[in-house]
Amino acid sequence: MTYQASNEEHPIEIVNIASLEARVKERMEKGAFGYIRGGSEDEWTMKENTASFNKKSIMPRVLRGIDHADLRTKLWDMELKTPIIQAPSAAQGLAHEKGESDTAKGVAAVGSIFSISTYANTTIEDAAEAAPGAPQFFQLYMSKDDGFNEFILAKAVQAGAKAVILTADSTLGGYREEDIINHFEFPLPMPNLAAYSEKDAAGNGEGKGIAEIYAAAKQGLVPEDIKKIKDITNLPVFVKGIQSPEDAEVAISAGADGIWISNHGGRQLDGGPASFDVLPLIAEVVNKRVPIVFDSGVRRGEHVFKALASGADLVAIGRPVIYGLNLGGAEGVTSVFEHLNKELSITMQLAGTKTIEEVKNTKLI
């Protein structure tokens, strides 16, 4: 089948987020869909990410005079209209011809934060121009080439990035069998690599498999890398891929400005814990010293609520955004956020919580 990304832009009807996967499977090239949907090995951790939310129940309050929910929140000096943000996801051109540019527009429309990956199909500059004035983060896959790191981080600073996300759980690709079966190779260039392709081992990414893309990645990340990034950019740094309380403490001690709890949506280590299972343990150690972003497995507004009640400050979504992008471009992305906001609003009101701060103080049993 010839590779062909979607070019449609329109709102999409959503009954529930989980149903989007089947709709996208029907219309997306097999290898591209497998890359986006798939997890590593037996996909146990990927499945547990969502199933784990059912281990905890919300203890609702009544007689509290709650007639509506207020989803507004803040991160540092950024005013957000929702606690749900977009998790960085590579190669969004697989889903839509406008890729990350349309995702940035769709996320900006709901007053949230867009994050662009080093391995994007859109330049950092073009993504920023697609949503002028909206907050954007840059996700760094640190290279073994310090020159590349300085080059790409300078581009992020120039484009107005508000923070850098250092991905620490993905120094090589997980064993993803669907990509092997489909002989998946990236059909589109990654222009942020191409701009440095004379030195970068992955070139521009086009025609490369996962292992080849990761060939340039630094596989021995250390706490001192946090300071390197801060020295280059003078920006806050989130460490993404934290799955243990000990690593949260190490990251904060090394200067991290935020902790991003994630297991990469079950795409890396299979057999590791569900992100939601470790969230309360990590939040206890962090003890509000820095903000916590949480992702992996979120498919319901109820999941967002439970993550916030368990210690997260913001909750990020990955695959659902890409599915919305494929089905409706920028407006499809907006539709995904609006649906989760609707579910979250209903959950908040029925639980007797009016604000996000009240959600954070809700007991789970």
Side-chain angles (χ1 to χ4, degrees), residues 218-294:
K218 181 177 180 180
Q219 296 186 1
L221 291 179
V222 291
E224 290 76 17
D225 289 324
I226 298 169
K227 184 178 185 302
K228 286 183 181 179
I229 296 168
K230 295 181 71 166
D231 287 345
I232 293 169
T233 64
N234 199 30
L235 290 174
V237 174
F238 276 94
V239 178
K240 183 176 184 289
I242 297 294
Q243 297 162 68
S244 75
E246 292 85 356
D247 283 346
E249 186 61 54
V250 168
I252 293 172
S253 297
D257 303 279
I259 295 298
W260 195 305
I261 298 172
S262 170
N263 58 32
H264 223 87
R267 294 166 68 79
Q268 293 300 98
L269 174 66
D270 198 30
S275 283
F276 184 64
D277 286 344
V278 298
L279 170 58
L281 301 174
I282 296 172
E284 184 178 5
V285 167
V286 172
N287 194 26
K288 303 186 185 300
R289 287 177 289 169
V290 298
I292 293 175
V293 177
F294 167 89

Side-chain angles (χ1 to χ4, degrees), residues 304-327:
V304 176
F305 186 105
K306 288 179 177 178
L308 294 170
S310 298
D313 294 291
L314 296 172
V315 176
I317 53 174
R319 291 182 184 92
V321 173
I322 307 307
Y323 295 154
L325 176 67
N326 176 260
L327 293 167

